[in-house]
PDB file of all heavy atoms in Angstrom:
ATOM      1  N   GLY B 341     -18.851  27.045   1.248  1.00 98.00           N
ATOM      2  CA  GLY B 341     -19.912  27.948   0.843  1.00 98.00           C
ATOM      3  C   GLY B 341     -19.775  28.403  -0.583  1.00 98.00           C
ATOM      4  O   GLY B 341     -20.762  28.625  -1.277  1.00 98.00           O
ATOM      5  N   GLN B 342     -18.568  28.573  -1.054  1.00 98.00           N
ATOM      6  CA  GLN B 342     -18.295  28.877  -2.453  1.00 98.00           C
ATOM      7  C   GLN B 342     -18.832  27.788  -3.372  1.00 98.00           C
ATOM      8  O   GLN B 342     -19.435  28.054  -4.425  1.00 98.00           O
ATOM      9  CB  GLN B 342     -16.817  29.117  -2.705  1.00 98.00           C
ATOM     10  CG  GLN B 342     -16.250  30.368  -1.964  1.00 98.00           C
ATOM     11  CD  GLN B 342     -14.766  30.474  -2.190  1.00 98.00           C
ATOM     12  OE1 GLN B 342     -14.053  29.453  -2.279  1.00 98.00           O
ATOM     13  NE2 GLN B 342     -14.281  31.712  -2.303  1.00 98.00           N
ATOM     14  N   ILE B 343     -18.569  26.573  -2.988  1.00 98.00           N
ATOM     15  CA  ILE B 343     -19.042  25.411  -3.779  1.00 98.00           C
ATOM     16  C   ILE B 343     -20.600  25.411  -3.773  1.00 98.00           C
ATOM     17  O   ILE B 343     -21.221  25.153  -4.799  1.00 98.00           O
ATOM     18  CB  ILE B 343     -18.489  24.087  -3.193  1.00 98.00           C
ATOM     19  CG1 ILE B 343     -16.963  24.123  -3.145  1.00 98.00           C
ATOM     20  CG2 ILE B 343     -19.062  22.893  -3.930  1.00 98.00           C
ATOM     21  CD1 ILE B 343     -16.301  23.866  -4.472  1.00 98.00           C
ATOM     22  N   TYR B 344     -21.142  25.659  -2.587  1.00 98.00           N
ATOM     23  CA  TYR B 344     -22.614  25.730  -2.472  1.00 98.00           C
ATOM     24  C   TYR B 344     -23.187  26.767  -3.488  1.00 98.00           C
ATOM     25  O   TYR B 344     -24.164  26.525  -4.163  1.00 98.00           O
ATOM     26  CB  TYR B 344     -22.970  26.127  -1.025  1.00 98.00           C
ATOM     27  CG  TYR B 344     -24.457  26.399  -0.773  1.00 98.00           C
ATOM     28  CD1 TYR B 344     -25.323  25.312  -0.679  1.00 98.00           C
ATOM     29  CD2 TYR B 344     -24.897  27.677  -0.523  1.00 98.00           C
ATOM     30  CE1 TYR B 344     -26.694  25.548  -0.441  1.00 98.00           C
ATOM     31  CE2 TYR B 344     -26.266  27.909  -0.260  1.00 98.00           C
ATOM     32  CZ  TYR B 344     -27.132  26.837  -0.216  1.00 98.00           C
ATOM     33  OH  TYR B 344     -28.451  27.073   0.038  1.00 98.00           O
ATOM     34  N   GLU B 345     -22.561  27.934  -3.567  1.00 98.00           N
ATOM     35  CA  GLU B 345     -23.044  28.971  -4.466  1.00 98.00           C
ATOM     36  C   GLU B 345     -22.975  28.530  -5.920  1.00 98.00           C
ATOM     37  O   GLU B 345     -23.939  28.696  -6.680  1.00 98.00           O
ATOM     38  CB  GLU B 345     -22.189  30.240  -4.270  1.00 98.00           C
ATOM     39  CG  GLU B 345     -22.539  31.377  -5.226  1.00 98.00           C
ATOM     40  CD  GLU B 345     -23.908  32.061  -4.906  1.00 98.00           C
ATOM     41  OE1 GLU B 345     -24.466  31.747  -3.844  1.00 98.00           O
ATOM     42  OE2 GLU B 345     -24.350  32.888  -5.716  1.00 98.00           O
ATOM     43  N   ILE B 346     -21.868  27.926  -6.327  1.00 98.00           N
ATOM     44  CA  ILE B 346     -21.743  27.490  -7.717  1.00 98.00           C
ATOM     45  C   ILE B 346     -22.765  26.367  -7.989  1.00 98.00           C
ATOM     46  O   ILE B 346     -23.404  26.367  -9.031  1.00 98.00           O
ATOM     47  CB  ILE B 346     -20.284  26.966  -7.998  1.00 98.00           C
ATOM     48  CG1 ILE B 346     -19.278  28.134  -7.812  1.00 98.00           C
ATOM     49  CG2 ILE B 346     -20.204  26.430  -9.435  1.00 98.00           C
ATOM     50  CD1 ILE B 346     -19.297  29.221  -8.798  1.00 98.00           C
ATOM     51  N   TRP B 347     -22.921  25.512  -6.993  1.00 98.00           N
ATOM     52  CA  TRP B 347     -23.908  24.425  -7.150  1.00 98.00           C
ATOM     53  C   TRP B 347     -25.296  25.000  -7.364  1.00 98.00           C
ATOM     54  O   TRP B 347     -26.065  24.518  -8.195  1.00 98.00           O
ATOM     55  CB  TRP B 347     -23.823  23.543  -5.878  1.00 98.00           C
ATOM     56  CG  TRP B 347     -24.877  22.501  -5.797  1.00 98.00           C
ATOM     57  CD1 TRP B 347     -24.888  21.289  -6.416  1.00 98.00           C
ATOM     58  CD2 TRP B 347     -26.102  22.551  -5.014  1.00 98.00           C
ATOM     59  NE1 TRP B 347     -26.038  20.559  -6.059  1.00 98.00           N
ATOM     60  CE2 TRP B 347     -26.797  21.325  -5.191  1.00 98.00           C
ATOM     61  CE3 TRP B 347     -26.649  23.493  -4.142  1.00 98.00           C
ATOM     62  CZ2 TRP B 347     -27.988  21.037  -4.598  1.00 98.00           C
ATOM     63  CZ3 TRP B 347     -27.860  23.225  -3.521  1.00 98.00           C
ATOM     64  CH2 TRP B 347     -28.518  22.000  -3.754  1.00 98.00           C
ATOM     65  N   LEU B 348     -25.689  26.085  -6.609  1.00 98.00           N
ATOM     66  CA  LEU B 348     -26.982  26.716  -6.818  1.00 98.00           C
ATOM     67  C   LEU B 348     -27.127  27.166  -8.254  1.00 98.00           C
ATOM     68  O   LEU B 348     -28.179  26.932  -8.886  1.00 98.00           O
ATOM     69  CB  LEU B 348     -27.091  27.926  -5.901  1.00 98.00           C
ATOM     70  CG  LEU B 348     -27.284  27.706  -4.387  1.00 98.00           C
ATOM     71  CD1 LEU B 348     -27.314  29.024  -3.644  1.00 98.00           C
ATOM     72  CD2 LEU B 348     -28.573  26.926  -4.095  1.00 98.00           C
ATOM     73  N   HIS B 349     -26.107  27.802  -8.813  1.00 98.00           N
ATOM     74  CA  HIS B 349     -26.184  28.299 -10.223  1.00 98.00           C
ATOM     75  C   HIS B 349     -26.253  27.185 -11.235  1.00 98.00           C
ATOM     76  O   HIS B 349     -27.041  27.248 -12.155  1.00 98.00           O
ATOM     77  CB  HIS B 349     -25.042  29.239 -10.487  1.00 98.00           C
ATOM     78  CG  HIS B 349     -25.124  30.551  -9.809  1.00 98.00           C
ATOM     79  ND1 HIS B 349     -25.814  31.622 -10.319  1.00 98.00           N
ATOM     80  CD2 HIS B 349     -24.674  30.955  -8.585  1.00 98.00           C
ATOM     81  CE1 HIS B 349     -25.751  32.630  -9.442  1.00 98.00           C
ATOM     82  NE2 HIS B 349     -25.057  32.224  -8.406  1.00 98.00           N
ATOM     83  N   LEU B 350     -25.446  26.179 -11.026  1.00 98.00           N
ATOM     84  CA  LEU B 350     -25.403  25.113 -11.997  1.00 98.00           C
ATOM     85  C   LEU B 350     -26.617  24.223 -11.961  1.00 98.00           C
ATOM     86  O   LEU B 350     -26.880  23.439 -12.834  1.00 98.00           O
ATOM     87  CB  LEU B 350     -24.122  24.271 -11.858  1.00 98.00           C
ATOM     88  CG  LEU B 350     -22.786  25.016 -12.064  1.00 98.00           C
ATOM     89  CD1 LEU B 350     -21.611  24.053 -12.057  1.00 98.00           C
ATOM     90  CD2 LEU B 350     -22.779  25.865 -13.305  1.00 98.00           C
ATOM     91  N   THR B 351     -27.414  24.318 -10.827  1.00 98.00           N
ATOM     92  CA  THR B 351     -28.652  23.582 -10.760  1.00 98.00           C
ATOM     93  C   THR B 351     -29.870  24.517 -10.869  1.00 98.00           C
ATOM     94  O   THR B 351     -30.990  24.139 -10.513  1.00 98.00           O
ATOM     95  CB  THR B 351     -28.726  22.772  -9.446  1.00 98.00           C
ATOM     96  OG1 THR B 351     -28.602  23.683  -8.336  1.00 98.00           O
ATOM     97  CG2 THR B 351     -27.611  21.746  -9.368  1.00 98.00           C
ATOM     98  N   GLU B 352     -29.591  25.766 -11.279  1.00 98.00           N
ATOM     99  CA  GLU B 352     -30.662  26.736 -11.502  1.00 98.00           C
ATOM    100  C   GLU B 352     -31.456  27.039 -10.207  1.00 98.00           C
ATOM    101  O   GLU B 352     -32.693  27.194 -10.247  1.00 98.00           O
ATOM    102  CB  GLU B 352     -31.629  26.231 -12.578  1.00 98.00           C
ATOM    103  CG  GLU B 352     -30.985  25.886 -13.902  1.00 98.00           C
ATOM    104  CD  GLU B 352     -30.733  27.124 -14.808  1.00 98.00           C
ATOM    105  OE1 GLU B 352     -31.173  28.228 -14.430  1.00 98.00           O
ATOM    106  OE2 GLU B 352     -30.089  26.936 -15.837  1.00 98.00           O
TER     107      GLU B 352
END
Side-chain angles (χ1 to χ4, degrees):
Chain B
Q342 293 177 324
I343 302 285
Y344 175 74
E345 177 72 9
I346 300 288
W347 173 81
L348 288 176
H349 288 273
L350 299 188
T351 58
E352 305 278 354

